Amino acid sequence: MRVSEAMTRDVRVANPDETIREAAQMMAELDAGALPVGEQDRLVGMITDRDIAVRAVAHGKSPDTRIREVMTDDVKYCFDDDDVEDVARNMADIQVRRLPVVNRDKRLVGIVAIADIAASEEPEVVGEAVSGISEAAGER
C-alpha cells in the first residue's frame, strides 16, 4: 500500500512568522499535536506541541514568540508514492510519530501518522514501528 492511500490530505500549514499562540490555537482546533510550517509554497519546518512546551514555555518565551524560533527546521518527510511498510520502519528508525508527505515535486500533499498506518496496514508493521519509537523515547 502507498502512503497516499493512508495519509491525511486535509493539512493546515503554519507560517514561520505566526506566533506559537496561533500555532497552539490551530492545533487545538484540529485536535493535532503537530503542524507543518511552510513559506513561499515550501515546507520549511514542523512545529509540535512538544516544541512549544520544551523550546518555548520551559525557557520562559512569550506566547507571541514566532514559530520560526522554536520549530524543528530539519524536516523529515516521505513521498506520497512510498510504501507504507517502508515508511513505518523509517518512522521507527528516526523516532517520529508523524511525517509530512510530499509529492515528487516536493510539494506538501498530506501528513501520515502512526495512527493512519494503524488503520490501514498489518498490525505487526505498526507494532514494529511503535515499538521502535517507544524504545527510543525510553532512552531519553
Side-chain angles (χ1 to χ4, degrees):
M1 172 181 284
R2 299 286 169 222
V3 170
S4 61
E5 298 171 62
M7 71 184 190
T8 300
R9 293 179 185 279
D10 185 24
V11 178
R12 296 255 311 264
V13 178
N15 181 292
D17 291 322
E18 290 177 311
T19 66
I20 59 173
R21 178 194 332 250
E22 291 169 312
Q25 289 169 337
M26 254 194 282
M27 287 179 199
E29 289 169 16
L30 298 169
D31 191 27
L35 294 170
V37 181
E39 189 172 45
Q40 299 175 354
D41 199 30
R42 289 288 179 195
L43 186 63
V44 296
M46 287 288 287
I47 181 85
T48 66
D49 48 8
R50 187 171 192 283
D51 291 331
I52 293 170
V54 174
R55 294 181 180 168
V57 175
H59 292 281
K61 292 184 184 273
S62 104
D64 296 321
T65 299
R66 300 291 167 211
I67 290 172
R68 75 172 66 253
E69 292 180 43
V70 298
M71 72 182 192
T72 299
D73 57 8
D74 180 22
V75 183
K76 306 295 186 209
Y77 59 88
C78 64
F79 290 103
D80 59 351
D81 60 356
D82 285 343
D83 183 76
V84 170
E85 192 170 330
D86 295 338
V87 170
R89 282 194 193 96
N90 185 45
M91 290 170 81
D93 290 345
I94 63 175
Q95 304 165 19
V96 298
R97 296 181 187 275
R98 59 188 75 77
L99 282 175
V101 181
V102 298
N103 62 20
R104 290 295 169 174
D105 293 327
K106 293 205 177 166
R107 300 286 189 246
L108 183 69
V109 295
I111 195 161
V112 67
I114 290 291
D116 298 325
I117 295 171
S120 64
E121 195 55 51
E122 296 297 318
E124 54 273 2
V125 172
V126 177
E128 288 175 23
V130 171
S131 175
I133 293 167
S134 298
E135 287 173 15
E139 294 171 4
R140 290 184 197 156

